[in-house]
């Protein structure tokens, strides 16, 4: 994950901006769209809120791109 992707993730967190995260998968990359609600630097994860009451913890190393 490069610095631009980190910047987009931080903007989503601070400004409650919706982003689309593309994640590496062995067979086919996956995309999730939501708002970053928590950044856990020690565990290198972000918490992406997808819908009311639905969220996913995403490991930063699995992120291919952010838009």
């Amino acid at each position: 994950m490069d610095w631009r992707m980190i910047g987009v993730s931080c903007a989503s967190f601070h400004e409650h901006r919706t982003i689309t995260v593309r994640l590496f998968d062995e067979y086919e990359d996956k995309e999730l769209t939501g708002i970053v609600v928590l950044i856990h630097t020690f565990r290198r994860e972000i918490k992406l809120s997808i819908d009311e009451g639905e969220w996913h913890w995403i490991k930063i190393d699995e992120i291919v791109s952010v838009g």
Side-chain angles (χ1 to χ4, degrees), residues 17-38:
R17 188 181 306 167
T18 301
I19 60 171
T20 300
V21 180
R22 177 172 287 221
L23 304 172
F24 173 79
D25 185 70
E26 186 176 345
Y27 301 104
E28 183 177 304
D29 289 351
K30 298 178 183 178
E31 285 190 352
L32 295 173
T33 300
I35 298 171
V36 176
V37 294
L38 192 62

Side-chain angles (χ1 to χ4, degrees), residues 1 10-11 13 15 18 22-24 27 38 43-44 48:
M1 186 165 170
C10 288
F13 176 72
E15 300 168 12
T18 301
R22 177 172 287 221
L23 304 172
F24 173 79
Y27 301 104
L38 192 62
R43 292 185 359 207
R44 298 186 44 83
L48 190 69

Side-chain angles (χ1 to χ4, degrees), residues 37-67:
V37 294
L38 192 62
I39 301 172
H40 198 289
T41 55
F42 180 74
R43 292 185 359 207
R44 298 186 44 83
E45 294 178 326
I46 62 171
K47 185 177 183 180
L48 190 69
S49 176
I50 305 299
D51 202 3
E52 180 103 16
E54 182 182 357
W55 48 266
H56 294 276
W57 278 105
I58 300 171
K59 294 192 179 297
I60 291 174
D61 295 339
E62 295 175 356
I63 298 175
V64 175
S65 65
V66 178

